[in-house]
Structures are given as structure tokens and as C-alpha cells.
Amino acid sequence: MAASASLQAQRGTFVNYGVQGGTPTYRNTMNILTQHGFHTEPVHMMISFGKNKTAWTNYADSELTKRLEKDIARFKSTLQLINKLECIFIFLPISKVLKWFGYSDEFMNEMVFPLTALFFGTGNQTPNVSCAIMARVFLDDDLRLFDYDTKRLLSQTPEMFAFPNLTEMYETIVSKSGAKYFRNRPVKSVRRDKGRVYVTDDKGCQETFDAIVFACDAENALNVLKDSSFMEEQTLGNVRYFNDLIVTHEDEAYMTELYELHKETDQYLVRTDSNDPTKIEMSFDLSNYQPQLKKIRDEKQHVFQTIFLDDENQDTWTYNQINPDKIMYKHWWRQFSHTWRHFAFSVPLMRYIQGRQKTFYAGAYTLVNTHEAAVMSGLAAAYRLGAPYPFDHDALARKQYNHYLMMIHGCPRRHGVNVDTVKCGAMAVFMGVFAVFSLCARVICDWWEGSAPARYSKVHLYTSITFLIGPKVVP
């Protein structure tokens, strides 16, 4: 979710909300922007966590980091163990693992959970996030944001980039794509039969296609599919979404009261609920982040955005403490939360629904909740339909894309006798075993929760085995 809203009346400009930007390792995203004539503005990530005794940052010492120095010092070795045994730890929530390893509640609630929520937008589901994902933040050679600091956990202000006007970006991409683009034409149903795809809009008009790409959330894809398979139901139906509220405002008094606000430096601010430290709220100082606001920040009051996570926990939100006269814009959005269940029961099965019945799925939910994953998913779907991959000149972009394609589509870029096909074959065997284990674990979990009898049957299980071992349909 990344979009723009007009602040013409209040600031004479626009504001981006949702995804604000990314890291320089988002090479596919950066290449698309460059290809369409856009440039990004560099920003250095300045983060303020907590308040008073629980306050800490990624650019200065604090009482909290000194108090938790023993936990911080040994957490690196825990992350290294998790990373080595990722195929096991991918199934385990970070809260459980940290408890098993004897970490203090303060370290978990004030440092690890807020950091995880910030990186992955997991909000109040953060304790259930797979611990393997957190390890990659520090240990993945291509994607890590920080080098681990055994004294302060974070001690760097890594370079990020801020998106340009997202409305202009989308319009430019659409206008240059050469494709027919239909606005305000919602899809009501999709039916697939005999190698054709029949799409009906909300007015009852039906169109026929050779293939379909669902470049939307998993919920809507599954909702409009009238002939969804057992594997599609298992894979897409496991992706869990939550309603969040983004409030763009200029209430500095609210920010000062609830956050450790360093007005001249901070871009990211994260706080935990003092009554329930597993509940997290996040804010941005956009006047220190978005370039069009940085230009006028000395002339005007700073613009902030506060994200209230999961509307089922509204009783814990501090939304009512924001001065209504200071609110500039409100926007509801719906995003998935990649808990351990996502990596256990959705990601391992994605490759077994890609290309089946001339159907492809694109979106961050196919892997991990980042903008780069979403962009790669679209490029992969296009590639499967015959389009060339456009960024072979960029080594890192190519490497990440090839890995995504092999992981989520089960396809190598090169065919014949070569390293890629050998890797793909080995991964196919591993992922096949992983998928069977995932399906069995899902049955056990659902039985434990009491939902299995209505969901599973011999026909369903036979269908799932057929999808796992049957041939793929590639247009």
C-alpha cells in the first residue's frame, strides 16, 4: 500500500502515505523508477523508540541499551543460530523463541518487538512474526539494513530513499505501458474453463482472456474466484489481513506527549502501550523524510503521520488524543501481517498455484511484506507470460529476482544443463517435502482450533497431492 494525498490547502503540496520509501537494495523498484524518469531522494534513517526510561535510538547511547547490554550482546549469536537453521525457525514466532532463550521481557517488548514492527509493518501481531525474518534484517548479505552492534543493537543511520509523488509515478507507468487500462471497473467473478479465463465485472459484462494475473490482495483474489482449488483456498486463505488507520496531522503536543520526539532529526518514531507492551503504535515526522515537505519545514509546523494498527484493538489506540483541529488527512488501509503462519502455510505453497489454470498471483503477500517483493512478483508474473526481465544489467536486481522466481514460481531463468536448473531441481525436492509438511501441519493446527472437519475431505487431500506432483501449466 503506497499512495499520495493532496495537502494543497494546508501546505501547497502533496503527502505520501503507506510505504514511504525503501533501501538502496530495492534494486528492481529503483530501476523501474529510473526507467520512467523519476529519481529518489536519499534520507538517513533516524529512529526514536520508547519514552523516558525506555527511550533509545539508532544514533546515540541510552539508559535502556546500557541496562540491557547483556541481552543485546548475546542476541547476535541467537540470530546466527536462527539463520543457520532457518528451515526450522521459520515456523516459530519470535516471542516464543526469545522466551525459550531466556531473554528479558523488557528486551523483547522495548527493543525487539518495536524494531520488528517498524521494519515489516506487523503492528500488534509482532510477537507472532517468524523469528527467521528478524535474523535476515541483520544477517542477509544483500538485504540487511544494519550491521549488528553488540553494545547498542543499532548504531548506524543507513541510507534510505523517499518515494516521489506516487500518483504521478503510477500515472506515468500506466501511460507508458502500452496496455489497455480500465478504471472503475471492479471484477465480480472469475471462472476458468478449458484453457480460457472468463472475467465478469460488477455490471455483468463478461470478457474472455488467455490468462489472468491477480495483482491484488489474496482476499479479493480468492473472493472472486468461483472455481478456486483446494490449494488456492489453503494458500490464499491463510493470508491474514488487518485494518489500520493512518492519520496525517500537525499535532506536535500529541507527539511530544507520547513519543521521545527529537524534532530536528527523527523520521521514525515507535512507542509501546504502557499497559500492554505487545501493542505498538508508529509515527513518522514527514517533514524530516519526504523531500517536498523538508523544503518548507522551517516555514511551517511539521507534518506527522501516526499509524493505528488493527481496528480490533481500537480500545488501546491513542487516536482520540490527537487534536481534531490538527488532523489534515485520514486514510484506512488493509495490510497483511506475516506471522509465522504465513511462512509455514502460505509461502511454501505459492509455487503450486502459480500458472495453474492460466492463473498467476502477484503481491507482497506471496513472500514478505516489502515493496521490493511486490515489484518482483509483478515482474515474475509478466515473465511467466512471455515478457523479458528488463533489468539484467543490474547484478543485485537480477540476483534477487532470480531467487524470487525460483522460490515462488519454481522456475529457473535458464534452461538446460547449468547451475540454475540444478539449483531449481534441488529446491523443487526440498520445497516438495516442505509443502507436504506444511499441509500436514496446517491440518493439525486447524484440527487443534476445531475448524478441520468442515475443511478437509479425502477429495481435498487427493487434490492437494495432485497439485503438488502434477505438471505445471505454463502459457
Side-chain angles (χ1 to χ4, degrees):
M1 177 63 71
S4 297
S6 174
L7 290 186
Q8 192 64 38
Q10 301 97 326
R11 289 292 188 275
T13 186
F14 69 95
V15 64
N16 288 335
Y17 63 88
V19 179
Q20 301 289 332
T23 78
T25 59
Y26 285 10
R27 296 305 309 165
N28 288 282
T29 304
M30 299 282 281
N31 277 303
I32 283 181
L33 290 171
T34 301
Q35 186 181 64
H36 290 87
F38 292 93
H39 72 279
T40 58
E41 294 285 341
V43 292
H44 286 273
M45 198 175 191
M46 310 285 276
I47 318 166
S48 175
F49 298 92
K51 179 73 173 174
N52 299 325
K53 291 184 178 180
T54 63
W56 64 288
T57 73
N58 65 323
Y59 54 84
D61 290 324
S62 68
E63 291 182 15
L64 182 71
T65 53
K66 292 177 182 178
R67 193 161 64 246
L68 297 174
E69 60 182 4
K70 290 183 179 179
D71 281 339
I72 295 171
R74 68 188 184 94
F75 187 49
K76 183 177 182 179
S77 61
T78 301
L79 292 175
Q80 290 171 334
L81 176 63
I82 291 170
N83 196 50
K84 287 180 181 178
L85 302 175
E86 185 177 67
C87 61
I88 297 174
F89 281 100
I90 195 77
F91 291 103
L92 301 175
I94 192 169
S95 58
K96 297 292 185 184
V97 171
L98 292 181
K99 280 284 189 183
W100 295 338
F101 279 83
Y103 288 97
S104 66
D105 289 342
E106 188 174 34
F107 179 67
M108 291 189 293
N109 294 329
E110 302 300 340
M111 298 198 77
V112 178
F113 293 166
L115 191 59
T116 305
L118 174 68
F119 289 152
F120 300 107
T122 50
N124 296 328
Q125 291 295 313
T126 298
N128 298 318
V129 169
S130 166
C131 60
I133 298 304
M134 190 60 185
R136 282 185 171 261
V137 171
F138 291 101
L139 302 178
D140 190 297
D141 289 336
D142 295 327
L143 301 177
R144 69 183 178 208
L145 298 177
F146 298 91
D147 292 324
Y148 193 92
D149 189 309
T150 54
K151 292 184 178 180
R152 285 178 19 203
L153 187 62
L154 304 183
S155 60
Q156 297 170 305
T157 57
E159 183 177 306
M160 306 282 285
F161 69 83
F163 277 130
N165 186 308
L166 290 162
T167 299
E168 292 181 1
M169 183 185 79
Y170 296 140
E171 293 289 354
T172 300
I173 292 173
V174 168
S175 66
K176 290 185 176 182
S177 70
K180 293 181 180 179
Y181 187 84
F182 295 90
R183 301 174 189 271
N184 301 315
R185 193 178 177 186
V187 172
K188 184 178 181 180
S189 66
V190 173
R191 181 175 58 86
R192 299 159 299 182
D193 184 46
K194 296 179 180 178
R196 306 290 279 174
V197 179
Y198 303 93
V199 181
T200 304
D201 65 20
D202 63 341
K203 293 182 172 59
C205 180
Q206 181 176 283
E207 304 278 4
T208 305
F209 298 94
D210 297 316
I212 186 169
V213 178
F214 283 102
C216 61
D217 58 86
E219 287 180 318
N220 278 313
L222 193 56
N223 184 53
V224 301
L225 272 175
K226 299 308 175 186
D227 56 355
S228 57
S229 68
F230 173 72
M231 287 295 287
E232 285 171 327
E233 291 171 4
Q234 291 299 295
T235 308
L236 303 177
N238 182 65
V239 183
R240 298 186 175 182
Y241 289 82
F242 299 90
N243 294 320
D244 301 337
L245 175 64
I246 296 177
V247 180
T248 302
H249 62 92
E250 51 183 358
D251 192 345
E252 187 173 324
Y254 165 85
M255 297 296 297
T256 303
E257 175 70 22
L258 294 180
Y259 295 90
E260 199 74 22
L261 179 65
H262 309 110
K263 189 177 175 182
E264 300 306 314
T265 57
D266 295 338
Q267 295 127 9
Y268 298 84
L269 302 104
V270 186
R271 64 175 294 273
T272 57
D273 189 323
S274 57
N275 298 316
D276 182 357
T278 65
K279 300 293 187 293
I280 295 171
E281 288 179 353
M282 296 183 289
S283 290
F284 298 95
D285 187 334
L286 298 186
S287 294
N288 290 335
Y289 197 122
Q290 295 185 11
Q292 77 281 4
L293 294 173
K294 289 170 71 173
K295 294 176 182 177
I296 59 173
R297 66 181 177 182
D298 296 330
E299 307 168 16
K300 302 278 188 178
Q301 169 63 38
H302 280 217
V303 176
F304 305 100
Q305 273 180 354
T306 300
I307 305 176
F308 299 99
L309 302 158
D310 188 2
D311 62 349
E312 293 184 3
N313 292 303
Q314 289 191 50
D315 57 325
T316 67
W317 289 3
T318 59
Y319 168 74
N320 291 330
Q321 297 181 42
I322 300 177
N323 184 342
D325 295 333
K326 300 286 188 177
I327 294 177
M328 310 167 81
Y329 186 83
K330 292 189 293 184
H331 181 81
W332 284 95
W333 64 332
R334 191 161 174 81
Q335 66 169 332
F336 89 93
S337 181
H338 43 23
T339 65
W340 69 271
R341 292 180 66 98
H342 180 72
F343 294 98
F345 306 138
S346 287
V347 173
L349 305 181
M350 285 291 172
R351 58 168 47 205
Y352 301 109
I353 65 172
Q354 296 284 11
R356 304 287 180 172
Q357 300 188 74
K358 300 295 186 74
T359 304
F360 298 90
Y361 298 92
Y365 72 86
T366 58
L367 184 59
V368 64
N369 193 22
T370 68
H371 204 78
E372 179 72 355
V375 169
M376 289 190 295
S377 74
L379 294 172
Y383 176 80
R384 293 292 306 281
L385 289 169
Y389 174 65
F391 305 130
D392 269 323
H393 62 277
D394 188 316
L396 181 56
R398 183 179 66 249
K399 178 182 177 181
Q400 294 175 171
Y401 169 78
N402 288 351
H403 180 75
Y404 176 91
L405 188 68
M406 195 175 295
M407 178 77 179
I408 302 303
H409 286 260
C411 297
R413 284 285 305 285
R414 296 182 299 161
H415 296 279
V417 181
N418 55 61
V419 174
D420 286 349
T421 54
V422 172
K423 283 183 179 178
C424 190
M427 183 175 284
V429 174
F430 173 79
M431 291 301 294
V433 174
F434 200 77
V436 171
F437 177 76
S438 174
L439 283 169
C440 293
R442 179 75 182 274
V443 171
I444 294 170
C445 287
D446 285 344
W447 240 299
W448 183 268
E449 295 171 359
S451 60
R455 176 176 289 164
Y456 298 105
S457 68
K458 290 182 180 179
V459 173
H460 279 145
L461 293 175
Y462 173 78
T463 304
S464 70
I465 294 171
T466 302
F467 264 77
L468 284 171
I469 65 176
K472 285 200 168 188
V473 176
V474 182

